Amino acid sequence: MNSEIPPAVPGIDEPALLAQQRGFARLRFRAPLEQAFQHYLHGKMASRVGLVALSSIAFMLLFMWLDYLYLPPEVARYTLSIRSLALLLVCLAIWYSNRPGRVLPRRAFDVATLAYCCSGLMVVMVITVARLAEVPIRVTHDGLYLVLLSGFFLLALPMRHAVLGSWLIVLSYLAAEQLTGSSPSVVISDGIFLSNFALMGSLGAYIYEYMQRRGYLNEQLLEAARRRAERESQSKTHFLATASHDLRQPLHAMLLFIQHLQDQVLNDEARRTVERLTDSTQLLQAMLNSLLDISRLSVGMVRPQTRSFNLRPWLERLVASLESYARRRGIRLEIDCAAHVAVQSDPMLLERLLRNYLNNALIHAEASLVRIEVTRMDERLRIAVVDNGCGLADADQERIFEEFTQLRNPARTLDKGVGLGLSICRQILHLLTYPSGLWSRLGEGARFWFEVPVGAWQSEPAEPQMAPMPGLRGQVALIENDRVSREAMQALLSSWGCIVWAFASADDAIEGLREVAVDVLLSDFRLEGELNGLELIRHLRERELYGGPAALVTADTSEELAEAARLADIQLLYKPVLPPRLRRTVQGMLAQAPAHS
């Protein structure tokens, strides 16, 4: 029987559901929504089985007890027999009809309606028998009101079933009165009262089912909207992943070619042109990163990967990366942080958060001093970016966190960004659930702060100081499926003094490294063939074809890849990678590499 039951929620799209909003005044949806609604009604009926069973059995037992007490024994034998039969029928009907998933709704409603009609007819028979026997206690039709009330509302039957059963009971009672010789005035009076009651009950049952159908349709519309939102979110996630990779690839190659060109150009005017081209490309990179970051955060693609790390040296490295930019603008950068403190956070998200606050102060605050202050607040550290710039009016302090908002850039000049930095900060703070705030007054600067959980401080070994090298010396294996990026990296690495063995696929790299011993391996993550970059490095290590330092140069910024690379002891360089960063990474890897002949 289960195979005959249609699915509870049919595959109806949102427009089809909207089209049915005006079509159920006759209490009928179009198939297959009607079938699903019948299952829904069946579930509603089954949800009341406890109340229905308790009230029905209790009232029947009560009336049986009253019959036993007040009716003559010869009459009570008939009424008790009739009521016992009705009680048994009700119990069987309740058991059979309230089994969603095992009984079809149509059969369940038919059985429940049949039991309802039989119960009402037995009450009619009891009243008729009691009147014919001329018992000392007058038996009226008032008990029928209770039966009709339960049929219209308590049993949760569909409106058509409830109305049909109720009118059958009413007409049967009036016919019984007529047949038993009641006066016309009594029949008319009882008929008026019972018919009016049945009419009001029918109207109430119609309104009740109409509201149920409207509620059910709204639930289906909400579910369809939720499914559509999930599909759009998945589509947006896929778009972001694709855009992140495809847009970073040419930008990565562009930066490398520009650096290679800068090393070749000797004319001063041409070098200044290349420098401006470099600045524009880096600005394009920053804009792309901001747009992708705000999109990835908005669809929940980012998941924090927290760990404990020492704060002071981490802040010093961050400030050092901004020092030259601040110096060109005449701004002094300072750090006010104790030496032996640590935080428990996601280093990448925390860097993005603090870097955006610092960039906002350096670009927009018109300050001469920007300071990072760290103070202890119980089990948290409050990190504040403080400037002595122009400050903010009260009305602007909430508006600056809105997307694409720049207060002092009406011409939208690109050297001041696109207005997403503080919006990204707010989303990162919500993601990390960090308390935060802003204090500012016009002419008195601003203080952006947030609180980070305290971590466990650990002693760090001194970093080896690498002497500057006029050129790099070593052999590098480069695996990159994108031809333009491969040629750009090969040309740049060669200009730095490396011998580069370039491969277009994982299979080519496996074959080539059987014949060549290299010091450093750089690979893209997405490669042609069955293996990606991470799997290729693992394969080479397992086959002992390569055991030196390796790095993935990739446009894939997923958290899963970052964690997998960390566990495999593989460095990550995200495209577009700046040439100085690439050079430092290769130089450090060459220092770690075993010597090869």
Side-chain angles (χ1 to χ4, degrees), residues 239-433:
F239 165 76
L240 289 174
T242 303
S244 175
H245 183 272
D246 294 349
L247 293 177
R248 290 175 190 271
Q249 286 279 73
L251 189 57
H252 170 69
M254 191 186 305
L255 284 169
L256 298 181
F257 276 127
I258 290 173
Q259 181 63 43
H260 183 55
L261 179 63
Q262 191 171 25
D263 294 339
Q264 307 300 320
V265 172
L266 300 178
N267 181 272
D268 291 340
E269 182 63 28
R271 289 186 67 86
R272 282 193 292 272
T273 301
V274 173
E275 288 175 357
R276 286 194 289 269
L277 182 60
T278 301
D279 293 339
S280 298
T281 307
Q282 291 178 354
L283 176 61
L284 177 61
Q285 176 189 359
M287 293 168 59
L288 173 63
N289 288 336
S290 296
L291 290 169
L292 291 175
D293 282 348
I294 197 72
S295 300
R296 291 171 70 244
L297 287 166
S298 65
V299 298
M301 290 178 62
V302 181
R303 291 189 296 273
Q305 304 289 330
T306 61
R307 63 180 178 87
S308 183
F309 57 94
N310 296 344
L311 186 59
R312 176 75 192 210
W314 183 85
L315 289 175
E316 290 174 348
R317 288 191 291 269
L318 175 61
V319 169
S321 67
L322 298 170
E323 191 69 49
S324 61
Y325 179 80
R327 193 182 307 114
R328 289 199 303 268
R329 299 180 69 92
I331 302 173
R332 189 169 77 255
L333 280 174
E334 295 181 354
I335 299 176
D336 182 6
C337 176
H340 300 116
V341 293
V343 293
Q344 181 76 27
S345 184
D346 183 310
M348 294 182 63
L349 290 176
L350 189 64
E351 178 181 352
R352 189 68 166 143
L353 175 64
L354 201 54
R355 186 181 292 274
N356 282 3
Y357 277 138
L358 290 169
N359 283 334
N360 177 72
L362 294 174
I363 296 173
H364 300 288
E366 302 175 7
S368 61
L369 172 66
V370 176
R371 183 171 63 254
I372 301 176
E373 296 180 355
V374 181
T375 55
R376 184 70 177 258
M377 308 288 292
D378 297 328
E379 296 302 316
R380 290 180 175 268
L381 291 176
R382 175 171 289 188
I383 302 176
V385 176
V386 186
D387 66 75
N388 62 350
C390 56
L392 295 164
D394 293 342
D396 295 330
Q397 293 185 19
E398 182 66 24
R399 195 160 66 88
I400 58 172
F401 290 97
E402 298 174 0
E403 296 177 1
F404 304 105
T405 297
Q406 293 180 332
L407 300 181
R408 300 178 183 89
N409 187 19
R412 304 295 296 182
T413 55
L414 294 181
D415 60 336
K416 292 189 176 183
V418 293
L420 289 174
L422 293 181
S423 178
I424 291 173
C425 288
R426 169 167 286 185
Q427 295 213 36
I428 292 176
L429 289 169
H430 288 173
L431 179 66
L432 297 173
T433 64

Side-chain angles (χ1 to χ4, degrees), residues 24-27 159 163 201-211:
F24 60 91
R26 294 182 295 106
L27 301 185
M159 189 276 292
V163 169
S202 299
L203 179 61
Y206 173 85
I207 295 173
Y208 181 66
E209 183 173 336
Y210 184 88
M211 298 304 295

Side-chain angles (χ1 to χ4, degrees), residues 475-587:
Q475 301 200 47
V476 178
L478 173 63
I479 304 96
E480 171 64 72
N481 65 318
D482 183 73
R483 180 183 59 81
V484 177
S485 295
R486 183 172 66 252
E487 292 176 355
M489 290 190 69
Q490 185 175 9
L492 190 59
L493 290 169
S494 298
S495 70
W496 290 341
C498 296
I499 299 174
V500 183
W501 301 87
F503 305 99
S505 67
D507 293 337
D508 293 346
I510 293 172
E511 291 299 322
L513 293 178
R514 296 182 189 275
E515 308 295 334
V516 186
V518 297
D519 305 301
V520 170
L521 188 145
L522 301 175
S523 175
D524 191 10
F525 176 65
R526 298 182 182 181
L527 300 174
E528 300 291 339
E530 297 181 356
L531 300 179
N532 58 41
L534 185 63
E535 294 168 344
L536 170 63
I537 296 172
R538 290 171 177 168
H539 179 85
L540 293 173
R541 288 174 175 175
E542 291 171 358
R543 302 298 190 277
E544 297 183 354
L545 297 176
Y546 178 75
L552 287 176
V553 186
T554 177
D556 191 326
T557 58
S558 65
E559 300 294 337
E560 293 80 3
L561 178 59
E563 181 64 16
R566 184 184 67 81
L567 295 175
D569 192 23
I570 299 172
Q571 296 191 54
L572 271 182
L573 293 174
Y574 292 115
K575 295 179 181 179
V577 58
L578 294 176
R581 172 75 186 279
L582 177 63
R583 183 180 180 114
R584 287 196 303 270
T585 301
V586 173
Q587 182 177 346

Side-chain angles (χ1 to χ4, degrees), residues 185-240:
S185 60
V186 172
V187 175
I188 293 173
S189 175
D190 291 346
I192 291 174
F193 281 103
L194 288 172
S195 297
N196 286 334
F197 188 86
L199 282 173
M200 289 187 293
S202 299
L203 179 61
Y206 173 85
I207 295 173
Y208 181 66
E209 183 173 336
Y210 184 88
M211 298 304 295
Q212 279 189 310
R213 286 178 178 269
R214 178 168 292 280
Y216 177 75
L217 186 58
N218 289 337
E219 289 179 9
Q220 293 301 307
L221 284 169
L222 287 174
E223 178 64 20
R226 184 189 65 80
R227 291 195 300 264
R228 174 169 52 82
E230 287 181 352
R231 288 194 302 270
E232 292 175 353
S233 178
Q234 291 172 358
S235 176
K236 189 175 182 180
T237 300
H238 177 71
F239 165 76
L240 289 174

